[in-house]
Every structure is written in C-alpha cells, then in structure tokens.
Amino acid sequence: MKITAAVVFEKNGPFSVEQVDLTDPRADELLVEVVASGMCATDLHGRDGYFPTMPYPAVFGHEGAGVVRAIGSGVTKFKPGDHIVMSYPWCGECPNCRTQRQSYCLSVRKLKMGGTRADGSTLHSKNGEPVFGAFFQQSSFGTYAIANERFAVKVRKDAPLEILGPLACGGHTGAGAVLNVMKPSPGDSFAVFGVGSVGLSAMMAAKIAGCDPIIAVDVHEHRLALARELGATHTFNHTGRTDIVAEIRKLTGHGVRFSLETSALPAVLREAIEALMPAGTCVLLGSARAGTEASFEMPFLQRGRTVRGVVQGDSVPETFIPQLVDYVVAGKFPLDRLITFYDLADINRAAAEQASGATIKPVLRMPH
Ligand SMILES: [Zn+2]
Ligand SMILES: [Zn+2]
C-alpha cells in the first residue's frame, strides 16, 4: 500500500517526507496505522550514520503507537482495532533471550539496525527500489508500519494513545532502570544526572517507588524546573560547577543509594559514581560512541558499590509497558509533560529542537 513516511536518503541527510510503498503483513505481522511516534536520539544517530549496518535510503522511528488495521494469517494475540505500542526486537533463541534477558539479545544490532527483516527483506520500497529501515523492526516514522506481533504490546483503549509511543523506548528505559534494576525501597536516596526524557522517566519512577531525596542534575534550567514539578526534591544546575558531588554528599551525608547517568559524558559518569554511598548502585544509560573511555578510582568499588549499564530498562515489554500505561492513566507517570507534538511534515524541526535540548521528547503526529 502507499503510505507517507520520512525517508533519509543518505548519511547525514535530512528527513524527507515521501510517498513510499509498504509491504503486506506476513503471517506473524500486523499492519499498524501509526497515530504518533516518539523521536529518540537513536533515530538521529541512524540518520547521521552511527550504525554501519544500516543502508540508505532508510525510514527510522522506533517509538510507534497506533491501531492494528490488519493481521497476518498466523496472528493470535491481536485483532484489528487493538491499540498497541511497538517495542524493541529480540531473536528469542540466543542464551540471553532464553533467560529473560531479551534486552541484551545477542542478535539485537542486526534486528534493530540491520535495515531489513531478519531474513533480509525490506518493509518499504519506492518506484520498485528497496527502501531500508525496518528500524527496531518497525520504522514508525510513517502513516502505517508493519510490526511483528512478538514485539507489539497491546495497551488499554482508555489510555491516550498518541502519547504512549515513548514508553516503547525512552520511557521504559528510564523507568525500567529504576523499577526493574534498582528496585528502590521507600526512602532510598536517588540522583539522576541529565533530565532529558530518559532521566525524567527514571525520576518519575523513583517518585512512584518513594525515593527521598530525589536529586536532579542538568545544564538546562527549564528541564530542572520541570524536574521539580515532577518530583525532584533538589536540583543542581551543573553549568560552570565542579562541586556537584560535594553538594550531594552534604545533602545526603554519605552519598546516594542510587545514581543514574544519562548524559554519556565520561566526567558526568565519574560524578554519578562518586556520588554513591557504600553499597550504592550507579546505572549507566547514556549511549556513548564506541571508543569513549571513562575513569574512576578503583577503591571506590571495594566498598560494595556497583556500576552497570542497562539497555531498554531490562524491560519485558509485554508486562512492563502495560504497567507503565496504568501509571499514566492514574496520573502517576505524567508523560504528557515531557512531550511536544509536531506534524510529520515538521520532522526536521523536531529533530533540531530535540538535538538542541529545546524539546525534551518530540512526538510526531501522522497525517491521516
Ligand atoms: Zn536473542
Ligand atoms: Zn530509543
């Protein structure tokens, strides 16, 4: 079928809104009318050629929310009319997938950023030529998408569908790092370094868990103001300061039980580690480019501190995303406060305003 989608024709090129052809759903696939799609830094990394496996032209987008319009012959879990969000793919067969560690799937690069379905076929074409993407096995920057039923998650119909897409990546990445990995008890201290969409999602989850204090560090005053509205008990503007760790120690006595690093800057990771109390845990979410190195003093780990990376919030989307949707509906996870809507036609402005930090979470509304 003919759809409208944002195509990137070459590495570092702009998004171009085009008519393209979308293939029909296979036996295990869904045709999804995309209502809206979040935009995540990973989409811009794709546009800019960070993934050597990704051919061009390509359609990106991996935080899609929409309505199932048709199902393949073997689909049993979904029917037309279902509201869904599309989450990240995994192979289901590797040692990590077999042991509920699917966000660390050993084939994940190929499935997320290989440009095609697992068998090498493309989802889109134009004038008979292949258009790549199959980004996270969805490519949600278009009016319709093909989703594999294994990675789609049904959501309740009374939830505001057009804001739910970001739960599929940034939202569960932040919230999952707290609720699935840290698992804080009420009263545990928490500090987040960088309050973009992932950091704010984590902070909202820390509030749900009852963390206190909740400390937010960023360089943008408007983000820190929002962090305070969403539950930060203390905020620090990092701009021009070198005493952030000292301030956190002064506030907490021994440092924090949990810290979260979202900036991908080595100096900030070091601060997030040094802010920990003994036996505290620092989770690294920031996505640094290959070759980036960080340092900290080895004795720091001898006092039981843990530093670990987390992907996709250790989330099993089928259960975790509906849990987050319940929090959204209950008003405990006010995702709408992070979102700025753009029409698909304005995708390049959305990308620029995400990159500058002016917009925390762009969500593209699809023309229908
Ligand atoms: Zn796997
Ligand atoms: Zn993402």
Side-chain angles (χ1 to χ4, degrees), residues 4 6 17 33-39 63 65 140-143 160-163 336 339-347 350 361-368:
T4 303
V17 177
E33 180 182 333
V34 181
V35 170
S37 176
M39 174 183 275
E63 292 184 347
S140 57
F141 289 167
T143 47
L161 187 57
E162 68 176 6
I163 70 166
D336 57 307
I339 287 173
T340 303
F341 285 109
Y342 299 82
D343 293 333
L344 180 64
D346 295 326
I347 184 170
K361 171 55 76 174
V363 170
L364 302 169
R365 282 186 172 124
M366 300 304 154
H368 283 292

Tab-separated table of all heavy atoms in Angstrom, residues 4 6 17 33-39 63 65 140-143 160-163 336 339-347 350 361-368:
chain	number	residue	atom	x	y	z
A	4	THR	N	2.722	7.524	3.585
A	4	THR	CA	3.594	8.690	3.700
A	4	THR	C	4.597	8.401	4.811
A	4	THR	O	4.196	7.985	5.905
A	4	THR	CB	2.775	9.954	4.050
A	4	THR	OG1	1.780	10.125	3.046
A	4	THR	CG2	3.659	11.179	4.119
A	6	ALA	N	8.805	9.400	6.450
A	6	ALA	CA	10.004	10.253	6.436
A	6	ALA	C	11.194	9.384	6.050
A	6	ALA	O	11.531	8.446	6.759
A	6	ALA	CB	10.227	10.883	7.799
A	17	VAL	N	9.858	13.868	3.614
A	17	VAL	CA	8.541	13.228	3.703
A	17	VAL	C	8.087	12.854	2.300
A	17	VAL	O	7.981	13.714	1.419
A	17	VAL	CB	7.530	14.150	4.412
A	17	VAL	CG1	6.150	13.514	4.436
A	17	VAL	CG2	8.011	14.434	5.850
A	33	GLU	N	-1.806	1.251	11.747
A	33	GLU	CA	-1.980	2.666	11.428
A	33	GLU	C	-1.311	3.444	12.551
A	33	GLU	O	-1.762	3.416	13.704
A	33	GLU	CB	-3.469	3.013	11.355
A	33	GLU	CG	-3.719	4.470	11.024
A	33	GLU	CD	-5.204	4.817	10.991
A	33	GLU	OE1	-6.034	3.926	10.720
A	33	GLU	OE2	-5.525	5.986	11.263
A	34	VAL	N	-0.199	4.086	12.222
A	34	VAL	CA	0.566	4.802	13.256
A	34	VAL	C	-0.182	6.090	13.589
A	34	VAL	O	-0.491	6.896	12.703
A	34	VAL	CB	1.996	5.105	12.784
A	34	VAL	CG1	2.780	5.818	13.882
A	34	VAL	CG2	2.712	3.815	12.367
A	35	VAL	N	-0.509	6.268	14.848
A	35	VAL	CA	-1.158	7.504	15.301
A	35	VAL	C	-0.085	8.554	15.581
A	35	VAL	O	-0.198	9.709	15.163
A	35	VAL	CB	-2.005	7.216	16.560
A	35	VAL	CG1	-2.486	8.512	17.204
A	35	VAL	CG2	-3.182	6.315	16.195
A	36	ALA	N	0.952	8.138	16.275
A	36	ALA	CA	2.039	9.063	16.618
A	36	ALA	C	3.270	8.244	16.951
A	36	ALA	O	3.171	7.085	17.355
A	36	ALA	CB	1.655	9.936	17.815
A	37	SER	N	4.435	8.870	16.785
A	37	SER	CA	5.686	8.192	17.117
A	37	SER	C	6.610	9.136	17.854
A	37	SER	O	6.820	10.275	17.412
A	37	SER	CB	6.390	7.693	15.852
A	37	SER	OG	7.656	7.119	16.196
A	38	GLY	N	7.153	8.682	18.950
A	38	GLY	CA	8.198	9.442	19.616
A	38	GLY	C	9.446	9.464	18.747
A	38	GLY	O	9.638	8.607	17.873
A	39	MET	N	10.274	10.478	18.989
A	39	MET	CA	11.584	10.545	18.338
A	39	MET	C	12.622	10.447	19.450
A	39	MET	O	12.524	11.136	20.457
A	39	MET	CB	11.731	11.864	17.580
A	39	MET	CG	13.103	12.085	16.986
A	39	MET	SD	13.229	13.713	16.182
A	39	MET	CE	12.571	13.324	14.567
A	63	GLU	N	9.432	4.351	18.269
A	63	GLU	CA	8.556	4.554	19.434
A	63	GLU	C	7.140	4.776	18.901
A	63	GLU	O	6.481	5.757	19.219
A	63	GLU	CB	9.021	5.767	20.253
A	63	GLU	CG	10.361	5.578	20.953
A	63	GLU	CD	10.735	6.771	21.833
A	63	GLU	OE1	10.103	7.841	21.721
A	63	GLU	OE2	11.668	6.617	22.648
A	65	ALA	N	3.124	4.267	18.200
A	65	ALA	CA	1.858	3.862	18.818
A	65	ALA	C	0.775	3.956	17.764
A	65	ALA	O	0.756	4.909	16.971
A	65	ALA	CB	1.522	4.776	19.997
A	140	SER	N	8.663	3.538	12.470
A	140	SER	CA	7.366	4.143	12.793
A	140	SER	C	7.194	5.575	12.288
A	140	SER	O	6.151	6.173	12.532
A	140	SER	CB	7.162	4.108	14.310
A	140	SER	OG	8.231	4.766	14.958
A	141	PHE	N	8.191	6.133	11.591
A	141	PHE	CA	8.026	7.491	11.046
A	141	PHE	C	7.251	7.426	9.728
A	141	PHE	O	7.740	7.812	8.661
A	141	PHE	CB	9.381	8.167	10.814
A	141	PHE	CG	10.123	8.549	12.068
A	141	PHE	CD1	11.468	8.917	12.000
A	141	PHE	CD2	9.506	8.574	13.314
A	141	PHE	CE1	12.173	9.280	13.145
A	141	PHE	CE2	10.197	8.927	14.476
A	141	PHE	CZ	11.540	9.281	14.374
A	142	GLY	N	6.027	6.952	9.805
A	142	GLY	CA	5.186	6.858	8.619
A	142	GLY	C	3.742	6.679	9.036
A	142	GLY	O	3.449	6.403	10.216
A	143	THR	N	2.850	6.827	8.084
A	143	THR	CA	1.419	6.745	8.416
A	143	THR	C	1.010	5.322	8.778
A	143	THR	O	0.046	5.125	9.527
A	143	THR	CB	0.573	7.257	7.251
A	143	THR	OG1	1.047	6.660	6.040
A	143	THR	CG2	0.668	8.778	7.137
A	160	PRO	N	-4.429	7.489	26.600
A	160	PRO	CA	-4.220	8.429	25.478
A	160	PRO	C	-3.141	7.924	24.524
A	160	PRO	O	-1.954	8.162	24.729
A	160	PRO	CB	-3.794	9.719	26.176
A	160	PRO	CG	-3.211	9.283	27.483
A	160	PRO	CD	-3.894	8.007	27.874
A	161	LEU	N	-3.568	7.242	23.461
A	161	LEU	CA	-2.649	6.503	22.592
A	161	LEU	C	-1.536	7.381	22.027
A	161	LEU	O	-0.391	6.942	21.910
A	161	LEU	CB	-3.455	5.836	21.463
A	161	LEU	CG	-2.718	4.887	20.544
A	161	LEU	CD1	-2.069	3.752	21.322
A	161	LEU	CD2	-3.675	4.321	19.472
A	162	GLU	N	-1.849	8.635	21.675
A	162	GLU	CA	-0.837	9.421	20.956
A	162	GLU	C	0.349	9.824	21.842
A	162	GLU	O	1.371	10.248	21.320
A	162	GLU	CB	-1.456	10.630	20.254
A	162	GLU	CG	-1.974	11.699	21.161
A	162	GLU	CD	-2.487	12.912	20.360
A	162	GLU	OE1	-2.532	12.858	19.119
A	162	GLU	OE2	-2.831	13.910	21.008
A	163	ILE	N	0.237	9.659	23.149
A	163	ILE	CA	1.428	9.938	23.980
A	163	ILE	C	2.162	8.673	24.404
A	163	ILE	O	3.201	8.744	25.050
A	163	ILE	CB	1.093	10.770	25.245
A	163	ILE	CG1	0.289	9.955	26.263
A	163	ILE	CG2	0.384	12.068	24.880
A	163	ILE	CD1	0.232	10.614	27.645
A	336	ASP	N	2.877	13.157	29.432
A	336	ASP	CA	2.478	14.275	28.572
A	336	ASP	C	3.296	15.535	28.871
A	336	ASP	O	3.486	16.372	27.997
A	336	ASP	CB	0.976	14.572	28.728
A	336	ASP	CG	0.599	14.863	30.170
A	336	ASP	OD1	0.921	14.034	31.052
A	336	ASP	OD2	-0.012	15.927	30.422
A	339	ILE	N	6.328	15.922	26.560
A	339	ILE	CA	6.119	15.797	25.118
A	339	ILE	C	5.803	17.130	24.455
A	339	ILE	O	5.042	17.935	24.981
A	339	ILE	CB	4.968	14.792	24.872
A	339	ILE	CG1	5.455	13.361	25.159
A	339	ILE	CG2	4.410	14.915	23.454
A	339	ILE	CD1	4.358	12.319	25.116
A	340	THR	N	6.401	17.336	23.277
A	340	THR	CA	5.985	18.397	22.361
A	340	THR	C	5.566	17.712	21.061
A	340	THR	O	6.326	16.904	20.519
A	340	THR	CB	7.139	19.383	22.072
A	340	THR	OG1	7.605	19.910	23.317
A	340	THR	CG2	6.682	20.522	21.176
A	341	PHE	N	4.358	18.019	20.588
A	341	PHE	CA	3.877	17.387	19.355
A	341	PHE	C	4.334	18.178	18.129
A	341	PHE	O	4.383	19.410	18.149
A	341	PHE	CB	2.345	17.331	19.352
A	341	PHE	CG	1.783	16.283	20.271
A	341	PHE	CD1	1.135	16.641	21.442
A	341	PHE	CD2	1.894	14.935	19.957
A	341	PHE	CE1	0.620	15.675	22.296
A	341	PHE	CE2	1.385	13.963	20.810
A	341	PHE	CZ	0.744	14.337	21.974
A	342	TYR	N	4.636	17.442	17.071
A	342	TYR	CA	4.959	18.018	15.764
A	342	TYR	C	4.197	17.217	14.710
A	342	TYR	O	3.990	16.011	14.880
A	342	TYR	CB	6.451	17.876	15.437
A	342	TYR	CG	7.386	18.571	16.397
A	342	TYR	CD1	7.745	17.966	17.602
A	342	TYR	CD2	7.930	19.826	16.099
A	342	TYR	CE1	8.610	18.594	18.485
A	342	TYR	CE2	8.797	20.452	16.987
A	342	TYR	CZ	9.134	19.838	18.171
A	342	TYR	OH	10.003	20.449	19.046
A	343	ASP	N	3.816	17.882	13.620
A	343	ASP	CA	3.312	17.138	12.470
A	343	ASP	C	4.489	16.432	11.793
A	343	ASP	O	5.614	16.944	11.818
A	343	ASP	CB	2.637	18.078	11.466
A	343	ASP	CG	1.361	18.674	12.035
A	343	ASP	OD1	0.739	18.029	12.905
A	343	ASP	OD2	1.001	19.800	11.628
A	344	LEU	N	4.207	15.295	11.166
A	344	LEU	CA	5.279	14.575	10.459
A	344	LEU	C	6.012	15.502	9.495
A	344	LEU	O	7.233	15.418	9.342
A	344	LEU	CB	4.694	13.362	9.711
A	344	LEU	CG	5.714	12.524	8.942
A	344	LEU	CD1	6.718	11.867	9.883
A	344	LEU	CD2	5.016	11.467	8.078
A	345	ALA	N	5.278	16.418	8.855
A	345	ALA	CA	5.891	17.342	7.890
A	345	ALA	C	6.977	18.206	8.533
A	345	ALA	O	7.870	18.706	7.842
A	345	ALA	CB	4.812	18.235	7.268
A	346	ASP	N	6.903	18.371	9.854
A	346	ASP	CA	7.874	19.217	10.556
A	346	ASP	C	8.971	18.394	11.233
A	346	ASP	O	9.594	18.835	12.211
A	346	ASP	CB	7.162	20.070	11.610
A	346	ASP	CG	6.194	21.054	10.972
A	346	ASP	OD1	6.499	21.544	9.867
A	346	ASP	OD2	5.131	21.317	11.565
A	347	ILE	N	9.232	17.210	10.718
A	347	ILE	CA	10.159	16.283	11.392
A	347	ILE	C	11.568	16.859	11.528
A	347	ILE	O	12.242	16.637	12.536
A	347	ILE	CB	10.165	14.908	10.673
A	347	ILE	CG1	11.061	13.918	11.430
A	347	ILE	CG2	10.570	15.023	9.217
A	347	ILE	CD1	10.947	12.486	10.943
A	350	ALA	N	11.555	19.117	14.445
A	350	ALA	CA	11.512	18.293	15.669
A	350	ALA	C	12.903	17.776	16.007
A	350	ALA	O	13.339	17.813	17.171
A	350	ALA	CB	10.543	17.131	15.474
A	361	LYS	N	10.930	15.659	24.599
A	361	LYS	CA	10.539	14.471	23.836
A	361	LYS	C	9.622	14.885	22.683
A	361	LYS	O	8.449	15.173	22.902
A	361	LYS	CB	9.816	13.469	24.763
A	361	LYS	CG	9.178	12.296	24.041
A	361	LYS	CD	10.144	11.515	23.153
A	361	LYS	CE	11.071	10.628	23.913
A	361	LYS	NZ	11.906	9.778	22.988
A	362	PRO	N	10.155	14.929	21.469
A	362	PRO	CA	9.284	15.199	20.327
A	362	PRO	C	8.419	13.963	20.027
A	362	PRO	O	8.911	12.832	20.073
A	362	PRO	CB	10.256	15.432	19.161
A	362	PRO	CG	11.621	15.434	19.744
A	362	PRO	CD	11.556	14.747	21.065
A	363	VAL	N	7.158	14.210	19.735
A	363	VAL	CA	6.276	13.151	19.241
A	363	VAL	C	5.660	13.628	17.941
A	363	VAL	O	5.094	14.725	17.870
A	363	VAL	CB	5.177	12.806	20.273
A	363	VAL	CG1	4.138	11.881	19.654
A	363	VAL	CG2	5.806	12.126	21.498
A	364	LEU	N	5.825	12.801	16.909
A	364	LEU	CA	5.332	13.151	15.576
A	364	LEU	C	3.927	12.612	15.392
A	364	LEU	O	3.699	11.411	15.573
A	364	LEU	CB	6.258	12.548	14.512
A	364	LEU	CG	7.725	12.979	14.602
A	364	LEU	CD1	8.575	12.111	13.672
A	364	LEU	CD2	7.865	14.452	14.233
A	365	ARG	N	3.012	13.497	15.038
A	365	ARG	CA	1.660	13.057	14.714
A	365	ARG	C	1.601	12.749	13.228
A	365	ARG	O	2.076	13.528	12.404
A	365	ARG	CB	0.658	14.168	15.030
A	365	ARG	CG	0.306	14.318	16.489
A	365	ARG	CD	-0.794	15.364	16.596
A	365	ARG	NE	-1.323	15.441	17.946
A	365	ARG	CZ	-1.351	16.574	18.669
A	365	ARG	NH1	-0.888	17.692	18.162
A	365	ARG	NH2	-1.865	16.557	19.880
A	366	MET	N	0.992	11.630	12.892
A	366	MET	CA	0.937	11.219	11.497
A	366	MET	C	-0.309	11.793	10.816
A	366	MET	O	-1.375	11.827	11.413
A	366	MET	CB	0.902	9.688	11.402
A	366	MET	CG	2.110	9.026	12.024
A	366	MET	SD	3.658	9.643	11.300
A	366	MET	CE	4.792	9.340	12.669
A	367	PRO	N	-0.153	12.218	9.556
A	367	PRO	CA	-1.322	12.739	8.829
A	367	PRO	C	-2.218	11.586	8.378
A	367	PRO	O	-1.734	10.619	7.795
A	367	PRO	CB	-0.675	13.434	7.618
A	367	PRO	CG	0.606	12.687	7.397
A	367	PRO	CD	1.075	12.213	8.739
A	368	HIS	N	-3.494	11.662	8.702
A	368	HIS	CA	-4.424	10.612	8.245
A	368	HIS	C	-5.686	11.268	7.696
A	368	HIS	O	-6.129	12.285	8.196
A	368	HIS	CB	-4.792	9.675	9.398
A	368	HIS	CG	-3.690	8.686	9.726
A	368	HIS	ND1	-3.325	7.673	8.880
A	368	HIS	CD2	-2.837	8.608	10.786
A	368	HIS	CE1	-2.331	6.984	9.429
A	368	HIS	NE2	-1.993	7.542	10.570
